[in-house]
Amino acid sequence: MSVLPKIALVAGGYSNEYEVSLKSQAGIIHFLDGYSFELYPVLITRDKWVVQADNTEYPIDRNDFTFNRLGEKVAFDYAYITIHGTPGEDGLLTGYLDMLGVPYSCCPTAVGALTFNKYLCKHFLHSFGIKIAQETRLIKGEPVRPIILAVEPGLPAFIKPNAGGSSLATTRVDEVNEILPAVQKAFEEADEVLMEGLITGTEVTCGAYKDAEGLHILPVTEVVPKNSFFDFDAKYNGAVEEITPARISEGMTAEIQQLTREIYGYLGASGIIRVDYIIEEGVPVLLEVNTTPGMTATSFIPQQIRAAGKKVGDVLASIINYHLKEKQL
């Protein structure tokens, strides 16, 4: 009798994206139902690391990432990380798994740390000629001068945490007197804050993943928020129109997909990533790179996979099996 690989589906985390992470975990469990894996939902919080099975919680031994189930020690063969935010998206958890030799779904540790810092990631990719918005980085504890910021990067602008996702604590500012409250709100989420000059145009996003067949670039999705921008409500409460494939020219679609391919390579990425852009006057401007994209019912990656004529479960299984085979080599 063959033994199925034991997969830890790791969700939770320490940020305000906790609930979104749980929804992504539920989505992945649904997508992988019926595939040749033993799936174990794992919850990580500041207070506990547990496996949720048999209507109970089994504590995880953090010395070796195992748990004891009815007297039997269970070791995981693979970790599918769907924590949005720290410690799953910023390299902390992957560094721990690296030391234990447990393969995982997302980018290597150094790549996770880089991409989680929006400012550093964008400026790294800008060194390869990729266009980014004019922006300023603010550090908690240092003085904030709204009058100067209103000139450079200028108004209107977006103020957001430098680390994090789901557009939490992101504010559009149009007047000088709006800058300081928006900065203070963003500092509640992170110790560094970005003020990014407004880019106008068509917002799009493109996913990519790598398996044994190579690097796959997914169809491009057009994002049309009903609010003033693509905020948390738009992402998770339906206040947005998402159009896949995007209503852009074949040439622009090819350019976005090629940029996404190059970014995957420049970063040395792994698993699934999603890259967000705004097309301003015919030029794609990089917004950010997401290395643990959402896998909820309303998330982009499942939409793009289906638009490519593939099953989400098949793609996830191909990534897991690719990483498991890599470990054996």
Side-chain angles (χ1 to χ4, degrees):
M1 183 176 69
S2 63
V3 178
L4 300 179
K6 296 176 175 61
I7 312 299
L9 301 177
V10 188
Y14 308 156
S15 76
N16 285 337
E17 295 178 88
Y18 177 90
E19 295 296 336
V20 178
S21 173
L22 296 185
K23 291 179 180 179
S24 286
Q25 183 191 60
I28 293 167
I29 291 172
H30 169 73
F31 293 134
L32 288 176
D33 182 41
Y35 287 81
S36 298
F37 305 116
E38 284 187 31
L39 304 178
Y40 292 90
V42 170
L43 178 68
I44 288 180
T45 71
R46 291 194 184 277
D47 300 322
K48 62 184 180 181
W49 290 30
V50 295
V51 176
Q52 299 171 315
D54 310 321
N55 295 315
T56 190
E57 291 186 342
Y58 297 99
I60 288 177
D61 184 343
R62 303 186 200 185
N63 292 302
D64 56 7
F65 200 55
T66 64
F67 70 103
N68 190 293
R69 184 184 193 186
L70 306 177
E72 177 189 359
K73 183 175 181 176
V74 180
F76 294 113
D77 299 297
Y78 187 87
Y80 196 106
I81 299 171
T82 186
I83 292 176
H84 310 308
T86 189
E89 194 173 0
D90 56 359
L92 295 182
L93 184 58
T94 56
Y96 162 81
L97 294 172
D98 283 336
M99 290 190 294
L100 296 176
V102 178
Y104 47 80
S105 57
C106 53
C107 287
T109 296
V111 180
L114 173 65
T115 55
F116 195 66
N117 187 309
K118 296 182 176 72
Y119 182 86
L120 292 181
C121 181
K122 284 190 287 185
H123 285 265
F124 169 74
L125 292 171
H126 183 56
S127 71
F128 294 96
I130 295 171
K131 186 175 180 182
I132 62 174
Q134 186 175 9
E135 62 184 4
T136 297
R137 180 172 57 170
L138 307 172
I139 310 296
K140 184 176 284 188
E142 294 185 358
V144 177
R145 299 181 175 88
I147 295 296
I148 294 175
L149 293 172
V151 176
E152 186 177 339
L155 295 173
F158 286 102
I159 293 174
K160 65 180 75 172
N162 188 33
S166 296
S167 298
L168 288 166
T170 298
T171 306
R172 172 172 169 155
V173 293
D174 295 277
E175 305 291 340
V176 175
N177 60 4
E178 296 173 344
I179 293 176
L180 197 55
V183 169
Q184 291 169 342
K185 179 180 178 182
F187 273 136
E188 292 175 4
E189 289 292 319
D191 291 337
E192 295 183 4
V193 166
L194 292 183
M195 181 168 173
E196 187 179 79
L198 178 67
I199 315 162
T200 57
T202 302
E203 184 166 352
V204 297
T205 186
C206 182
Y209 70 94
K210 190 175 183 179
D211 62 11
E213 296 179 357
L215 181 57
H216 304 260
I217 309 301
L218 294 170
V220 179
T221 298
E222 181 180 351
V223 183
V224 187
K226 298 175 185 176
N227 301 336
S228 60
F229 67 99
F230 189 46
D231 60 5
F232 184 91
D233 190 46
K235 286 186 177 181
Y236 299 109
N237 297 322
V240 65
E241 185 178 4
E242 300 165 3
I243 303 165
T244 310
R247 300 171 299 182
I248 56 178
S249 69
E250 289 185 10
M252 181 55 65
T253 296
E255 184 173 350
I256 293 291
Q257 290 177 316
Q258 178 60 25
L259 269 177
T260 303
R261 179 181 298 276
E262 291 172 6
I263 287 170
Y264 199 103
Y266 294 147
L267 292 172
S270 181
I272 303 174
I273 71 167
R274 197 193 75 233
V275 187
D276 302 338
Y277 310 86
I278 286 182
I279 304 168
E280 183 178 52
E281 297 180 355
V283 179
V285 181
L286 173 67
L287 293 180
E288 65 178 278
V289 180
N290 189 322
T291 57
T292 57
M295 296 297 290
T296 70
T298 59
S299 297
F300 292 118
I301 293 297
Q303 295 180 44
Q304 293 177 3
I305 291 172
R306 288 189 288 263
K310 302 178 181 181
K311 292 178 63 176
V312 180
D314 288 348
V315 169
L316 299 183
S318 73
I319 293 169
I320 294 170
N321 287 323
Y322 171 56
H323 291 160
L324 288 172
K325 187 170 291 186
E326 272 193 323
K327 184 190 176 185
Q328 295 170 358
L329 296 177

